[in-house]
Amino acid sequence: MTAAIAILRAGNVSDEEVTEVFTKKYDEYQTNLSDTVTWESIFGEWFLFSMITIMTIGYGNVKPTSPWGQGLCVLYGLFGIPLNKLFVNMIVVKFKTGLRKIAKRSLELLNSKGFMAAAIASYFVFHLGWSYFIPSAVFEAAESWSYLESLYYCFVSATTIGFGDYVSSVTSREFSSDYYFLQVLLMFAWILFGRSFTLVCMNIMSYLIGLLVLDKLDCMCHKRFSAKKQMSEISECVAELNWQLVKYRPENFTKWKNLRVFQNICEEDPQNLDKEIFSDLLHSLEDLQEAIREEVMSLEEAEKSSVTAYSDSDSDDSASYLRFKTRISRKLTNEAKYDTNWPTISSVICDNFQSSSRSSDDSFSSGVEDTIDNKPNRTKNH
């Protein structure tokens, strides 16, 4: 266009004459276009324009030109974009739920991480097929593009980049086809669901990049990663203690919050652990062990007095005595409320922190169990 105007000016054609010629040609083009454009094509153009606007793709081939149209477009975007984002997020949740179900069921089926990885890969290949590969083949046949250009157009549209260098003719009013409405609906569905699946992929990729790359490149994150690795064994043990304390807490133990604070620091800022925090943890563990000893001793005394009461009364009710014995035993092993195979609080402390006092702690449990059962070869509950 610029070169044509320069040639006309070089031929001593004034700017007014150039403007008049181009205005006349443009009016003739609009007249011929109005004869071929139907209301169906205008509806499809408006429909896809509204969809492309709230999706924030913005090809630029269709745009408002009048002040009223631009104002209405702003109002439409203010309300339409948040609603569209909410609807797309609902679809994204469905995609993520399906991915979790596939991963969980595949792991439960064969208990193999390799099979789970293959199932997840199949999930992504299937959705990439209908959102990218198949539409690219359709655009290649309909728009006379190469397959690479069609794939490029699908990616630019689904990621809402919208350069506008490649635009499907379905979005223009000049397009005509016997299946126009079907093509418009398919275009609408592809943009909606393709955009949603692309958002799922982008979220997963951003998480993996942040987890595998950025955390190791950043200096503070590197210190955090190194400290967390060094504290992993202690952190796991304290987490187990907190879990056991949720199920059962000794009455005389009041420093349980120190264990939770230590666990939170290990998970969030392990590089900030200092001598004072470790000292508080050690004192808390000592208090916990002492509280467990006192409670076991009180239960032992209560059990002995109860056994004496049974023997003094010469009761022959063996079933009642058996129920009493079972209740005391389950109390000591912390299984009265939760029938699990988790280690007890005393075993965690003795095995991981106070190995030297392990025999003395076990002597309390074994002494009480032997008193209850009065049999040397009794199998322990824990």
Side-chain angles (χ1 to χ4, degrees):
M1 181 66 70
T2 304
I5 293 176
I7 293 174
L8 292 175
R9 287 176 177 175
N12 295 325
V13 180
S14 63
D15 292 343
E16 291 79 5
E17 293 176 346
V18 171
T19 303
E20 182 181 357
V21 170
F22 277 98
T23 302
K24 183 178 179 180
K25 292 296 183 181
Y26 179 77
D27 292 339
E28 291 177 357
Y29 170 76
Q30 291 293 333
T31 302
N32 296 331
L33 183 62
S34 62
D35 295 336
T36 58
V37 172
T38 61
W39 70 269
E40 291 91 348
S41 60
I42 294 176
F43 171 78
E45 182 186 65
W46 291 350
F47 180 77
L48 291 177
F49 167 74
S50 63
M51 180 66 183
I52 291 170
T53 300
I54 62 176
M55 278 286 184
T56 66
I57 298 176
Y59 292 127
N61 62 323
V62 180
K63 54 186 178 296
T65 55
S66 65
W68 284 102
Q70 293 170 353
L72 290 175
C73 185
V74 170
L75 292 176
Y76 174 69
L78 286 176
F79 293 96
I81 293 175
L83 292 175
N84 174 73
K85 185 176 181 180
L86 178 63
F87 185 65
V88 169
N89 287 338
M90 293 172 61
I91 301 176
V92 169
V93 169
K94 295 296 183 181
F95 278 120
K96 291 182 178 179
T97 302
L99 180 59
R100 292 193 189 99
K101 288 182 178 179
I102 289 177
K104 183 178 179 180
R105 291 178 180 177
S106 60
L107 187 61
E108 291 176 351
L109 185 60
L110 294 179
N111 195 20
S112 172
K113 292 184 178 180
F115 182 75
M116 182 182 68
I120 294 175
S122 301
Y123 174 86
F124 279 101
V125 168
F126 172 76
H127 287 289
L128 285 172
W130 66 259
S131 60
Y132 282 94
F133 301 141
I134 295 177
S136 298
V138 173
F139 286 124
E140 179 185 14
E143 304 292 343
S144 299
W145 298 337
S146 65
Y147 188 81
L148 182 60
E149 291 173 335
S150 302
L151 188 62
Y152 164 79
Y153 169 72
C154 291
F155 176 79
V156 169
S157 300
T159 54
T160 68
I161 297 174
F163 289 128
D165 49 351
Y166 289 88
V167 181
S168 175
S169 58
V170 181
T171 61
S172 176
R173 66 178 62 186
E174 290 89 352
F175 181 78
S176 61
S177 174
D178 296 335
Y179 305 99
Y180 183 73
F181 282 109
L182 178 60
Q183 291 172 315
V184 169
L185 292 177
L186 289 176
M187 186 76 175
F188 167 79
W190 169 70
I191 292 177
L192 179 62
F193 291 100
R195 164 61 181 159
S196 302
F197 177 71
T198 302
L199 188 60
V200 173
C201 296
M202 294 301 172
N203 290 339
I204 295 176
M205 290 180 63
S206 63
Y207 173 77
L208 294 176
I209 291 174
L211 182 65
L212 302 177
V213 179
L214 298 182
D215 280 355
K216 295 182 180 180
L217 293 178
D218 187 52
C219 180
M220 294 299 295
C221 291
H222 179 71
K223 292 181 180 179
R224 178 178 177 271
F225 178 79
S226 178
K228 192 172 184 179
K229 184 177 180 180
Q230 294 176 1
M231 296 298 300
S232 60
E233 295 183 2
I234 299 178
S235 177
E236 291 175 2
C237 189
V238 173
E240 174 61 27
L241 283 174
N242 285 322
W243 169 243
Q244 295 292 343
L245 288 172
V246 170
K247 298 192 294 182
Y248 175 73
R249 186 184 305 159
E251 296 180 357
N252 297 330
F253 183 62
T254 60
K255 296 183 178 181
W256 55 272
K257 290 185 179 180
N258 293 344
L259 299 179
R260 292 192 179 181
V261 170
F262 184 85
Q263 182 182 354
N264 293 334
I265 296 177
C266 286
E267 293 176 353
E268 298 176 1
D269 299 305
Q271 70 276 9
N272 294 331
L273 291 171
D274 53 16
K275 184 178 180 180
E276 183 179 357
I277 297 176
F278 279 105
S279 178
D280 292 340
L281 175 64
L282 180 60
H283 293 318
S284 300
L285 292 175
E286 291 175 351
D287 292 345
L288 176 58
Q289 188 175 23
E290 186 64 27
I292 293 174
R293 292 176 184 274
E294 293 177 358
E295 189 153 338
V296 171
M297 291 178 66
S298 63
L299 289 174
E300 180 185 8
E301 293 175 358
E303 187 273 335
K304 287 182 178 180
S305 61
S306 300
V307 171
T308 303
Y310 272 103
S311 60
D312 293 341
S313 61
D314 296 329
S315 175
D316 294 331
D317 190 1
S318 59
S320 177
Y321 177 77
L322 181 60
R323 287 195 299 270
F324 167 77
K325 181 182 69 173
T326 304
R327 185 172 70 252
I328 295 296
S329 178
R330 290 176 66 85
K331 179 67 175 179
L332 290 175
T333 56
N334 194 22
E335 295 178 357
K337 185 176 180 181
Y338 299 91
D339 188 11
T340 63
N341 293 323
W342 290 91
T344 60
I345 297 176
S346 58
S347 66
V348 173
I349 294 178
C350 294
D351 291 341
N352 295 278
F353 292 100
Q354 301 290 339
S355 59
S356 60
S357 60
R358 180 175 183 178
S359 59
S360 61
D361 187 31
D362 289 341
S363 64
F364 283 104
S365 300
S366 60
V368 174
E369 290 168 354
D370 293 339
T371 304
I372 293 174
D373 202 6
N374 291 324
K375 291 182 180 180
N377 296 325
R378 179 179 176 272
T379 302
K380 293 183 180 180
N381 291 335
H382 60 291

